[in-house]
Amino acid sequence: YAPTLCAAAQTSMEQGILPPCHHHEAVHDPQLVPCMCPIFSCPWEGHLEAVVSHLRQAHHINILQGAEIVFLATDMHLPAPTDWIIMHSCLGHQFLLVLRKQEKHEGHPQFFATMMLIGTPTQADNFTYRLELNRNQRRLKWEATPRSVLECVDSVISDGDCLVLNTSLAQLFSDNGSLAIGIAITTNKVHNSEAEM
């Protein structure tokens, strides 16, 4: 089980605002990407290879190993906006799970969960992720291709291209205010280079 809410979420909540969305198109050097931690308005930018070490050192983001893990998000009752994030290392790559509690309509918070590959969109196309909630004889699965961290997580969430739970559905799957999300990452069965052989 993964540890809890990222420590900086409290700061984000106290400010009552979501950090601005960073668009990599606006970066002067196309080789540099902004900080991908959605909880902070962090001015850092660097090369894609440096994103993981930045998240671990500057933001103390935990990293879990293995093709299948369970992420335990605690304190689901915290007011929106709140983010929970974890890094997931498997199949030779690092992924970033973002779970966000946000109000799309005032007074109606929803939970949004998505997986981002710390890599390029082309690399992301090689993987499939599955998020699964399983409790009280109920099971809910979401399966999709991860997005690249070069894309804005805010736009993924605003487009609804992720697992979306309303509050009552989240409560069905929560246990004492905690939500356990099973995460599995697989590679796509046939890669183009294999198909040509």
Side-chain angles (χ1 to χ4, degrees):
Y1 282 87
T4 64
L5 178 66
C6 189
Q10 194 66 35
T11 308
S12 175
M13 284 179 357
E14 287 165 1
Q15 294 168 349
I17 54 169
L18 284 173
C21 180
H22 299 287
H23 293 284
H24 65 281
E25 297 84 27
V27 177
H28 291 38
D29 182 346
Q31 299 299 311
L32 298 180
V33 293
C35 175
M36 292 294 124
C37 184
I39 294 170
F40 298 90
S41 294
C42 176
W44 180 90
E45 59 181 29
H47 293 279
L48 202 51
E49 312 83 68
V51 170
V52 172
S53 59
H54 169 74
L55 289 173
R56 292 197 71 180
Q57 292 168 11
H59 303 307
H60 307 291
I61 304 300
N62 294 309
I63 188 162
L64 299 178
Q65 307 278 340
E68 294 190 21
I69 61 170
V70 175
F71 170 59
L72 186 65
T74 60
D75 300 323
M76 302 298 291
H77 61 278
L78 287 171
T82 304
D83 284 304
W84 294 259
I85 64 173
I86 196 79
M87 271 196 294
H88 179 188
S89 178
C90 69
L91 302 171
H93 288 80
Q94 279 74 37
F95 300 83
L96 191 67
L97 172 79
V98 179
L99 173 64
R100 176 171 295 167
K101 183 178 184 180
Q102 179 175 311
E103 288 187 4
K104 277 241 174 178
H105 308 289
E106 195 170 340
H108 299 283
Q110 291 179 300
F111 293 88
F112 302 85
T114 190
M115 207 72 172
M116 311 288 283
L117 172 73
I118 300 177
T120 66
T122 304
Q123 289 174 314
D125 286 341
N126 292 324
F127 297 96
T128 299
Y129 75 94
R130 185 180 73 238
L131 303 178
E132 184 174 321
L133 302 172
N134 192 351
R135 189 166 184 276
N136 293 332
Q137 300 177 340
R138 295 176 180 87
R139 180 176 299 206
L140 181 65
K141 288 185 186 180
W142 168 267
E143 192 170 288
T145 300
R147 304 288 279 272
S148 164
V149 292
L150 297 175
E151 301 177 60
C152 182
V153 69
D154 291 349
S155 64
V156 173
I157 288 172
S158 63
D159 292 346
D161 186 14
C162 54
L163 174 64
V164 182
L165 304 171
N166 62 26
T167 307
S168 59
L169 195 55
Q171 285 172 349
L172 280 177
F173 288 100
S174 69
D175 182 17
N176 291 324
S178 297
L179 196 63
I181 303 173
I183 305 168
I185 308 269
T186 54
T187 55
N188 294 337
K189 291 176 184 166
V190 180
H191 296 291
N192 291 336
S193 57
E194 292 173 359
E196 291 167 4
M197 296 174 102

